[in-house]
Amino acid sequence: MKAFTFQTPTNIRFGAGASSKIGELLKGYKAAHVLLVTDEKVWAAGLTRNAEAAIAEAGIALTVFDGVVVDAPSHVIEAAAEICRERGVDTVVAIGGGSALDTAKLVAYLAKTPDKLDAIYGVDRATGDRLPLLLVPTTAGTGSEVTPVSIVKTPNNEKKAVISPRLLPDCAILDPELTLGLPPHLTAQTGIDAMAHAIEAYTGKIKKNPISDWLALKALALLSANLRKVCADGSDLEARSEMLLGSMLAGMAFAHSPVAAVHALAYPIGEIFHEAHGLSVALVLPYVLEFNRPAAEALYAELSDVIQPGYRRQSDAADAVAFIAEIEAICRDCGVPGSLSAVGIGEGDLSKLAEDAMKQKDRLLVNNPRELDCDQARAIYASALAGRGPAAD
Ligand SMILES: NC(=O)c1ccc[n+]([C@@H]2O[C@H](COP(=O)([O-])OP(=O)(O)OC[C@H]3O[C@@H](n4cnc5c(N)ncnc54)[C@H](O)[C@@H]3O)[C@@H](O)[C@H]2O)c1
Ligand SMILES: CCCCCCO
């Protein structure tokens, strides 16, 4: 068996109402002044209320930073880190989606180690200390609460990654009650992003390992069994719980066997057309899988009865086709638009999208089960523009 390493937060608290118990946890981290990182919508929805009450009950000072902006722009991260330094914050808590979690990870780091963000983009370049960090996801989701990754939007609208074990939190608190109010379109997009994490981790060419495989398989089983349910009825707490667990397991999986072409082709849609990350992923997912199929047939076949428990295995070829058809059906059933045209993308945009996707060659595309060049990336976008149906070869 190939050698591998595995790293994940040591402290995970999972359960309905878990965020209400954050006060005792913070006392354990000797917190005296907490910065709560969230965004206006999450705050206005009352999702931080229980945590704020618990922090007050514990006699801990609190500064609320509700300035998180989607895709974690660098200037927001730097501003919040400055607030920490100015006000003597000693602990960072985030309650929100991936944008809030990614913001908080770097706020906790930069508040303690005043690096320049430009100096720490990439792998293992953030080597300093950070403030104690607790992450509470409200989408299911990016899995950012258990990954060593923060994705940052730079001033020139590029998405850059800081990848360092320093970004893993001291504690991940998963409270499914906080996801109950996630609207159906966000539920679908974030759930499909989580499925893409599991699929790409499972087919990762370089770092796939037995633990990332087990995590990806369990994640995919949980996510595919519950996504339609929570899109139809967001009040289903058990289904929401399984989605949150699935997205966390998918995060752990891709943290060790990184994502690939689905994400490489999704990023430019977010950067150029400012579409939400999850939607960008969902718009290209079936088409990238179809492109990969010749090289990933056996692996996709292994996933065919994971996402459809009643599916009877036939042959790798047939099972891989069935797997992609079911992913396509999940996207369709959960309301994902069937064409890139739904977000204003036209034929004239495809070359630029493909050129930008190729910028992820060294970080993401290297993990893809099938090599792809710029022309093939453009052809995949063309298939995604043409809409539901077979993609490019
Ligand atoms: N660090 C990682 O490992 C990792 C992995 C994947 C994606 N990401 C990044 O995460 C970001 C996407 O995160 P996301 O998909 O969770 O969305 P998000 O954090 O950008 O939030 C999207 C919207 O959903 C709202 N929202 C969040 N939770 C809600 C709730 N429970 N009820 C109602 N509204 C709610 C937010 O207010 C926001 O308006 C992107 O920047 C992406 O690059 C990071
Ligand atoms: C290694 C880069 C991780 C990307 C996270 C998914 O957007």
Side-chain angles (χ1 to χ4, degrees), residues 336-347:
V336 174
S339 162
L340 291 178
S341 60
V343 294
I345 292 173
E347 188 72 26

Side-chain angles (χ1 to χ4, degrees), residues 130-147:
R130 63 157 172 74
L131 295 179
L133 174 66
L134 291 80
L135 300 178
V136 187
T138 60
T139 64
T142 67
S144 177
E145 70 276 9
V146 289
T147 78

Side-chain angles (χ1 to χ4, degrees), residues 102 123 142 147-151 159-163 193 197 200 254-255 257-260 263-264 266-267 277 281 360 363-364 367:
D102 284 8
V123 181
T142 67
T147 78
V149 179
S150 276
I151 306 291
K159 293 195 94 171
K160 295 238 183 210
V162 177
I163 301 167
D193 185 30
H197 291 157
E200 295 217 282
F254 93 74
S257 176
V259 292
H263 279 74
Y267 280 173
H277 172 75
V281 166
Q360 302 295 341
R363 185 161 68 86
L364 302 185
N367 305 311

